[in-house]
Amino acid sequence: PLLPSKVKKSLSVTSKTLNKTTGMLGQAAAAQQRRALIAAFVSSGGIVIASLGYNESDRSLLEAKKQASPVVKQSAAASALTREKTKIIPTRDEQLNNLTSGKKYDILVVGGGATGSGTALDAATRGLSVALIERGDFGNETSSRSTKLIWAGIRYIATSISALLRFRNILRPFDAIDDFISEFKMVQNAHKERRILIENNPHLTNWCPIAVPIKSWITWPAPFGHPIFASASFTLPAVFKFYDGMSGFSCPPSHIMGRDRAHRKFPQLNQDMKYFQVFYEGQHNDARTATCIALTAAEQGATIANYVEMIGLIKDKNGKAIGVTCKDNLTGKEFEVYAEQIIFAGGPFTDSLRNMEDPNSEPAVNAAAGTHIVLPAYYCPNGIGMLDINTSDGRFLFFLPWQGATLVGTTDRKGPAVSSHGPPESEIQWLLNETSKYLSPELKVRRSDVLSAWQGFRPLASDPNALPGAPISRDHIISVNPNTGVTFITGGKWTTYREMAEDVVNRVVGRSPTLSNKVTGPSTTETLPLRGGEGYTRNVSIRLVQEFGVSEETAKHLARTYGVNAFDVCLLTVPTGKRWPRFGRILVEGYPYLDCEVLYAVKNEMVCTVKDMLTLRTRLAFLNRDAAMNAAPKVADIMAKALGWSRKERNRQLKEAEELIGTFGGSFPNTEERRLSATITDLGTLFSALDVDGSGYIDLIDFKDAVRELGFPFKNDKEALVAFNEMDTNSDNRISEEEFLDWWYNDKSKSKLRSQLSKEFKFSTDKLGSGAKSRGVMFG
């Protein structure tokens, strides 16, 4: 009775087959579930049906699917009997209407990163009215540019021991012990928060095995700058077991991997290792987790708005803060929002907020920049990461499998925080050099292997409002300005965002009788899953494949991004026209993102700009700068249609996205820092410049990329192909150095490219020589 008559007629399914099918899914005992799942038939000309909760809107969708493709599809997973539907939150326009209504909120949070969004979520779950504003998209600064680890801090144990055993502590033994205990407690809290985040949100997190290579029994210079760690190779197994125990052994157990097994698992690594110590840390897509925190706050009743910036503080006649002046960065409209309590959660940019509160305020936050690079997946074998605990400058360096690639980072550079993603070329080179230390000599770490690179800033905080002699916090800082009553929170780590949020709400509620009388109870976020987590199981990705006909890779991506809401994303898929996968058009080749994710994010998750879709809602720009560039026009078209943009606005959005993506590092050094042409001194180095990946020949992709970086981009692919074929005399789709030199001297077509190169790289004709002898000719 749940199926249209035409569909029922086309399905000839016996009761026995149904029992078998539902039994495979672990639902044989439930007749209601069996009724809900009218199988997924993907044999030739088969029909993919989902039948639960069938209504008129489902009927319309089903009819549309039937017209679009012989494959008929409507998801059984969409049923309310088997899962929660996407929880509807107000649109951005509706959120703005709430903000501008003149309502006075209990708490206003300024800053929509992990900490700010977590604060809004915590307060909302206690029954308080909450507003959250963020000047960009949620999590667009520090919270999306981390090393992607939910880690408890093994480094801090080592550094605290190293600090405790310094000779100078003979004169301050009690202070040294207090410092050590403080650091130890911080790590213990991080273990607790790591467990909470991972156990509550299996759809957003996973355990990542990380191997520590031990190259020699005695290491010198000693790690962490203390001689006691020179013999760390003998004690690491016990240290990591202790580390496991700090989390109540809730993580997979650490273990030793012998040399022979390591050779089998890591054939590309240097074979000269004694053993590998393997331990586990949590991992996530940080931008997605940050977005989910903000959206979960909205589910709990908070008013949240991205692209709303604080431009001023409103004070009463006594100088107390009672609200903020805001600006909608998408329209330029200004308005005021009032609240009983105001919390600044600006991360490394907190001081810029505090300067609006008091232009003479003392700095509270220093920033440290970290650069990460992304390399192809083969640098990180079999899903196992690696940690170098003793780099050339003493820092930790991670090599991590992430989103189908290898993430390498991070550096640590003090300096003022900026929003630009672009990292210094020197730090990219340092990361490449450190990476090469552990690879087999027969493998090269090439500059052209860098798919993307970016920098982010983390806050290093102190409390300017602390009393004289107060202890210095080694974790997060919560401080209240006694004049304005504004509270700010900064510092801490990604792992402890929930604890930080709970602490700052406790502080604000504790000193406000008005809020104390309104709260309905203590924080409940310790047991609250984030958006998409309620009802999630590890079988969601399998169900997506079976019930929607999407590829396994895409199904895993959707399940690990949207949780149970992935079913609603799949309801927007369209036929591929292929035998398999049946549904789900890929946004860009080589990555699992679907074009319908753009539409879903527009309709359900408040995405506003093309740049955010490519950097935060998908991670294309962070994974592969060129892939993001290729996908940008398609994303702009989808968003323009969904949001009703004019052609002018669509083009403006596309240009803005391309300019932002262009700031990421890629396979070439940043042209503003080092023009490629500056390194070219003769025909040999010119050929090497065009041979981007150092393969000994130039292919068409190398050719287009290098010519663009030299400053002579082709108008289109046809023009590039014509120029390429003029050099490729053997017609093997590869230009050898000999072919390149012959083209240079024997070019009868007087090509535009040769003319441009000759003009750019002037040379002395009396030094040319001829043929291969000219390879060393110097340009003047």
Side-chain angles (χ1 to χ4, degrees):
L2 295 175
L3 297 174
S5 58
K6 290 183 179 180
V7 178
K8 288 194 289 185
K9 186 175 180 180
S10 66
L11 281 173
S12 177
V13 184
T14 65
S15 176
K16 180 178 179 181
T17 305
L18 266 177
N19 284 333
K20 180 179 179 182
T21 305
T22 54
M24 290 171 62
L25 295 174
Q27 300 172 335
Q32 191 176 37
Q33 299 286 24
R34 188 172 70 251
R35 179 175 176 234
L37 186 66
I38 310 295
F41 294 93
V42 285
S43 55
S44 59
I47 299 175
V48 180
I49 297 290
S51 56
L52 218 62
Y54 193 82
N55 54 39
E56 286 306 313
S57 63
D58 294 331
R59 182 183 298 278
S60 300
L61 177 63
L62 184 60
E63 291 302 319
K65 295 289 187 183
K66 289 167 67 178
Q67 294 174 10
S69 168
V71 178
V72 184
K73 177 175 72 75
Q74 202 267 325
S75 172
S79 167
L81 294 178
T82 56
R83 68 167 184 88
E84 296 283 338
K85 281 183 175 292
T86 296
K87 292 181 179 178
I88 304 301
I89 62 173
T91 65
R92 182 176 183 274
D93 286 343
E94 292 169 337
Q95 305 275 13
L96 287 174
N97 287 338
N98 290 335
L99 281 178
T100 58
S101 66
K103 170 185 177 180
K104 182 178 180 181
Y105 290 90
D106 293 326
I107 293 178
L108 168 63
V109 183
V110 182
T115 302
S117 296
T119 300
L121 173 59
D122 188 281
T125 60
R126 304 192 200 197
L128 299 174
S129 62
V130 185
L132 168 71
I133 60 172
E134 163 57 46
R135 66 178 180 176
D137 199 11
F138 304 115
N140 78 98
E141 297 284 359
T142 302
S143 297
S144 61
R145 308 184 199 182
S146 72
T147 311
K148 322 306 176 192
L149 287 178
I150 309 167
W151 77 311
I154 183 65
R155 175 187 176 91
Y156 300 120
I157 293 179
T159 55
S160 63
I161 293 174
S162 174
L164 179 65
L165 299 179
R166 298 292 179 187
F167 285 113
R168 65 173 180 268
N169 288 330
I170 294 176
L171 301 177
R172 52 184 297 274
F174 296 109
D175 289 341
I177 292 173
D178 285 344
D179 291 346
F180 175 78
I181 292 174
S182 174
E183 197 90 344
F184 189 84
K185 286 182 177 179
M186 181 185 70
V187 175
Q188 202 164 31
N189 287 340
H191 273 281
K192 174 189 173 183
E193 293 302 317
R194 183 184 70 173
R195 177 185 58 78
I196 290 172
L197 184 53
I198 292 175
E199 291 182 357
N200 285 348
N201 304 286
H203 62 304
L204 298 174
T205 63
N206 60 275
W207 288 107
C208 179
I210 302 173
V212 181
I214 305 302
K215 194 170 184 178
S216 61
W217 297 115
I218 301 296
T219 303
W220 198 264
F224 311 109
H226 198 288
I228 193 174
F229 293 106
S231 58
S233 58
F234 297 101
T235 58
L236 274 182
V239 169
F240 278 105
K241 281 301 177 186
F242 175 77
Y243 190 66
D244 293 349
M246 291 184 71
S247 62
F249 297 99
S250 59
C251 57
S254 60
H255 59 274
I256 292 174
M257 183 184 297
R259 183 162 50 187
D260 292 341
R261 185 182 174 202
H263 289 177
R264 293 193 297 271
K265 281 190 169 290
F266 311 135
Q268 62 271 62
L269 294 185
N270 192 321
Q271 306 293 301
D272 186 23
M273 299 291 167
K274 302 301 181 185
Y275 73 92
F276 286 80
Q277 173 64 50
V278 180
F279 72 108
Y280 289 80
E281 291 287 6
Q283 190 179 43
H284 66 155
N285 175 355
D286 53 0
R288 181 61 192 173
T289 305
T291 300
C292 283
I293 297 169
L295 296 176
T296 307
E299 290 179 356
Q300 296 294 321
T303 299
I304 66 172
N306 49 357
Y307 286 94
V308 173
E309 183 172 6
M310 170 185 161
I311 59 174
L313 192 69
I314 304 171
K315 301 177 183 178
D316 64 14
K317 60 182 181 180
N318 298 317
K320 295 294 184 182
I322 58 173
V324 302
T325 303
C326 301
K327 178 182 178 181
D328 182 344
N329 284 333
L330 297 183
T331 66
K333 179 182 177 182
E334 295 183 9
F335 55 94
E336 296 176 346
V337 179
Y338 293 89
E340 179 71 22
Q341 294 288 327
I342 298 171
I343 299 173
F344 292 162
F349 302 95
T350 297
D351 280 344
S352 64
L353 300 175
R354 296 178 58 247
N355 287 337
M356 283 187 263
E357 173 192 17
D358 177 6
N360 299 316
S361 61
E362 294 183 23
V365 182
N366 293 315
T371 293
H372 294 81
I373 62 174
V374 173
L375 301 173
Y378 55 72
Y379 282 105
C380 210
N382 299 316
I384 300 178
M386 191 171 71
L387 169 62
D388 183 356
I389 63 173
N390 198 30
T391 59
S392 60
D393 64 359
R395 295 184 296 223
F396 269 25
L397 188 66
F398 286 97
F399 307 77
L400 301 171
W402 182 67
Q403 302 276 307
T406 299
L407 177 66
V408 182
T410 179
T411 58
D412 188 23
R413 167 175 41 89
K414 303 298 187 294
V418 296
S419 292
S420 171
H421 291 80
E425 177 61 26
S426 60
E427 296 195 353
I428 295 176
Q429 291 293 342
W430 182 84
L431 290 170
L432 290 172
N433 293 339
E434 293 295 321
T435 300
S436 64
K437 293 193 312 183
Y438 290 97
L439 290 178
S440 171
E442 63 184 355
L443 298 179
K444 295 183 294 183
V445 184
R446 304 172 300 184
R447 180 62 182 79
S448 59
D449 285 337
V450 177
L451 303 176
S452 184
W454 73 89
Q455 67 174 357
F457 288 81
R458 62 188 177 92
L460 306 174
S462 59
D463 186 356
N465 299 314
L467 296 174
I472 297 175
S473 172
R474 295 181 178 275
D475 202 349
H476 58 270
I477 293 291
I478 299 173
S479 182
V480 181
N481 186 322
N483 298 319
T484 64
V486 172
T487 302
F488 79 82
I489 179 168
T490 190
K493 299 178 289 298
W494 227 118
T495 307
T496 59
Y497 88 89
R498 192 207 65 83
E499 177 192 39
M500 294 168 64
E502 182 178 349
D503 284 354
V504 73
V505 174
N506 285 343
R507 178 79 68 90
V508 167
V509 169
R511 66 184 185 85
S512 171
T514 301
L515 299 189
S516 297
N517 293 329
K518 285 188 175 183
V519 294
T520 56
S523 173
T524 61
T525 56
E526 189 171 334
T527 57
L528 179 67
L530 297 177
R531 184 174 174 87
E534 188 173 344
Y536 177 83
T537 70
R538 298 289 185 184
N539 291 326
V540 164
S541 62
I542 299 174
R543 293 175 60 193
L544 294 175
V545 173
Q546 294 179 332
E547 298 168 15
F548 289 96
V550 297
S551 71
E552 184 176 356
E553 182 184 14
T554 290
K556 289 179 179 178
H557 152 65
L558 294 176
R560 296 298 311 282
T561 303
Y562 303 97
V564 297
N565 296 336
F567 296 108
D568 291 321
V569 177
C570 284
L571 286 173
L572 300 173
T573 57
V574 296
T576 63
K578 301 177 182 178
R579 182 72 178 167
W580 189 262
R582 294 296 184 91
F583 284 85
R585 290 188 306 211
I586 294 297
L587 194 60
V588 62
E589 287 299 323
Y591 294 88
Y593 304 113
L594 300 182
D595 57 6
C596 65
E597 291 181 66
V598 181
L599 182 59
Y600 178 83
V602 168
K603 290 180 175 293
N604 297 280
E605 298 191 344
M606 299 175 62
V607 70
C608 301
T609 67
V610 174
K611 66 180 181 181
D612 293 332
M613 197 68 224
L614 291 166
T615 57
L616 301 172
R617 306 311 181 92
T618 68
R619 304 312 304 273
L620 266 176
F622 281 81
L623 290 167
N624 189 319
R625 184 183 67 174
D626 292 340
M629 283 288 193
N630 291 337
K634 184 185 291 187
V635 171
D637 289 340
I638 297 171
M639 294 186 70
K641 183 176 181 180
L643 293 170
W645 290 341
S646 64
R647 171 58 57 175
K648 180 179 180 181
E649 175 62 13
R650 181 263 183 198
N651 292 340
R652 187 196 70 79
Q653 287 268 354
L654 177 59
K655 181 180 179 181
E656 178 185 57
E658 289 175 340
E659 288 176 351
L660 177 67
I661 295 168
T663 64
F664 283 72
S667 56
F668 284 96
N670 188 316
T671 53
E672 293 183 359
E673 288 196 33
R674 189 182 73 180
R675 278 292 304 272
L676 184 61
S677 59
T679 67
I680 296 173
T681 57
D682 55 44
L683 285 177
T685 54
L686 177 56
F687 176 83
S688 297
L690 297 172
D691 177 18
V692 175
D693 56 12
S695 59
Y697 60 83
I698 304 168
D699 62 29
L700 182 58
I701 300 299
D702 284 350
F703 185 61
K704 290 191 294 185
D705 288 346
V707 170
R708 182 186 70 243
E709 293 296 325
L710 285 169
F712 315 118
F714 294 109
K715 293 180 180 179
N716 50 51
D717 289 343
K718 182 179 179 181
E719 183 183 33
L721 184 61
V722 170
F724 182 85
N725 288 336
E726 287 178 352
M727 298 188 202
D728 182 23
T729 55
N730 293 335
S731 300
D732 61 354
N733 299 311
R734 296 174 176 83
I735 300 171
S736 67
E737 186 172 7
E738 183 178 356
E739 286 177 306
F740 173 73
L741 293 174
D742 287 343
W743 170 80
W744 184 268
Y745 291 112
N746 303 314
D747 179 41
K748 298 178 181 179
S749 67
K750 305 298 180 183
S751 74
K752 177 181 176 182
L753 176 61
R754 186 182 185 284
S755 175
Q756 290 172 321
L757 292 174
S758 297
K759 185 177 180 180
E760 175 75 12
F761 308 112
K762 297 179 176 63
F763 50 85
S764 302
T765 55
D766 59 333
K767 296 181 182 179
L768 281 178
S770 60
K773 294 180 181 179
S774 66
R775 188 184 190 285
V777 169
M778 299 298 293
F779 293 95

